[in-house]
Amino acid sequence: MTFVRFAGAVLLLISLLASRVPAAEPDDLYSSQAIVTGQGEKNRQPGFRDCLDRVLVKVSGDQRLPRLSQADALRARAGDFVASFSYRDRLAGKPIHDEQGTYDRPHDLTCRYDRKTIDDLLATFGSRPWLAERPTFLIVLDVKRGGQAFRVTADDMRDLAMRESFALGAAPLALKVTFPAAADAASLDAGALEPSDGVLPLSGSLVWSDADLGWVATWRLKHDGETYRWVVRGVNFDEAFRVAMRGAAQILSGNGAPQ
């Protein structure tokens, strides 16, 4: 039985490798995106601040940077660091409501930065770019709520919202996720899976807690012979998955254990 499970895991990882999307080029890392309301200057400046936080974390992998004291001074002139920016109307093709002006429409603000600018900013934090190839994570996630328990799979419509949310949580860090097929999921031993050629197993549990008024998520990742574990409590599953990706990036970029 042990050999059958191991062989199945190997075949699963091989199939994932065959379909893996190429990693982002280094220059693609030096951009970030925020949602703003309209294209006016008033809303642009908060967008610039948000984009700066996001690009610093994306390039370095270090989720702690926006919380450091020197980040406030950088945010105050966040627009100075932007090489170029553009907007995309999130409601493009939809008519404007009678009571709504164009200034109300939500837009994706994309900011692009020169590599040297961001690398120099990271140096002020004592940080550095994480330019290694970003991995794809095989997510082995067990969910429990009330009397229901299941493992998230790649092909069950029940899990679609969670799969999409996980992908959205991975994208800002230039990471990708994939899930086991239903036929393989039940037999996978999450603790026995090993990394293979750019595909890293990330296992987790998501348990609903009435006491915490939300989900309790526990994540585990093996890296360089060590198993890391981190927990977040009382969150929706979107935030639980963002915490998973931020923690994984923290570890793989060499910035220590998730906090």
Side-chain angles (χ1 to χ4, degrees):
M1 176 63 71
T2 300
F3 175 78
V4 171
R5 287 186 176 181
F6 175 77
V10 170
L11 289 174
L12 174 62
L13 288 175
I14 290 173
S15 67
L16 291 173
L17 287 171
S19 61
R20 187 156 57 96
V21 178
E25 294 297 322
D27 285 343
D28 295 337
L29 298 177
Y30 290 82
S31 66
S32 59
Q33 193 174 86
I35 299 175
V36 297
T37 304
Q39 301 184 38
E41 180 70 17
K42 178 181 178 181
N43 295 313
R44 184 180 304 148
Q45 294 306 318
F48 283 162
R49 293 193 288 270
D50 194 5
C51 281
L52 180 62
D53 283 350
R54 289 170 181 266
V55 76
L56 291 173
V57 172
K58 181 181 183 182
V59 174
S60 69
D62 191 347
Q63 62 182 305
R64 300 168 298 179
L65 297 187
R67 301 197 297 268
L68 299 181
S69 58
Q70 56 264 53
D72 290 336
L74 296 180
R75 287 191 201 98
R77 53 192 191 96
D80 295 345
F81 308 120
V82 178
S84 65
F85 64 90
S86 60
Y87 291 98
R88 184 184 71 86
D89 187 344
R90 295 175 65 88
L91 299 179
K94 296 183 179 180
I96 299 173
H97 300 303
D98 291 341
E99 72 281 4
Q100 176 189 349
T102 55
Y103 65 90
D104 289 324
R105 294 170 74 87
H107 287 71
D108 291 324
L109 169 65
T110 298
C111 293
R112 301 170 189 83
Y113 302 85
D114 291 329
R115 293 181 63 176
K116 186 178 186 307
T117 298
I118 296 302
D119 291 354
D120 288 349
L121 290 179
L122 290 176
T124 68
F125 289 95
S127 187
R128 65 193 186 285
W130 171 35
L131 298 180
E133 183 177 0
R134 304 288 168 103
T136 294
F137 288 95
L138 171 61
I139 306 299
V140 183
L141 175 60
D142 294 314
V143 180
K144 294 182 181 179
R145 182 169 187 172
Q148 187 180 29
F150 59 92
R151 177 165 285 179
V152 176
T153 68
D155 39 16
D156 194 321
M157 287 301 297
R158 171 201 61 199
D159 306 330
L160 178 61
M162 287 191 175
R163 293 196 302 268
E164 291 179 341
S165 176
F166 228 126
L168 288 173
L173 292 161
L175 301 172
K176 297 180 177 65
V177 295
T178 190
F179 297 84
D184 303 310
S187 63
L188 285 181
D189 181 352
L193 289 174
E194 296 292 337
S196 178
D197 294 334
V199 176
L200 301 184
L202 173 62
S203 62
S205 65
L206 196 62
V207 180
W208 180 261
S209 169
D210 289 334
D212 291 294
L213 301 177
W215 295 99
V216 176
T218 304
W219 304 106
R220 295 177 183 83
L221 178 66
K222 292 181 181 178
H223 181 61
D224 284 348
E226 186 172 352
T227 298
Y228 294 85
R229 178 180 180 274
W230 62 105
V231 180
V232 62
R233 311 181 71 89
V235 296
N236 58 33
F237 65 70
D238 297 311
E239 179 62 12
F241 302 155
R242 287 191 288 265
V243 167
M245 292 290 92
R246 290 195 296 259
Q250 182 88 12
I251 294 164
L252 297 180
S253 60
N255 285 298
Q259 297 179 346

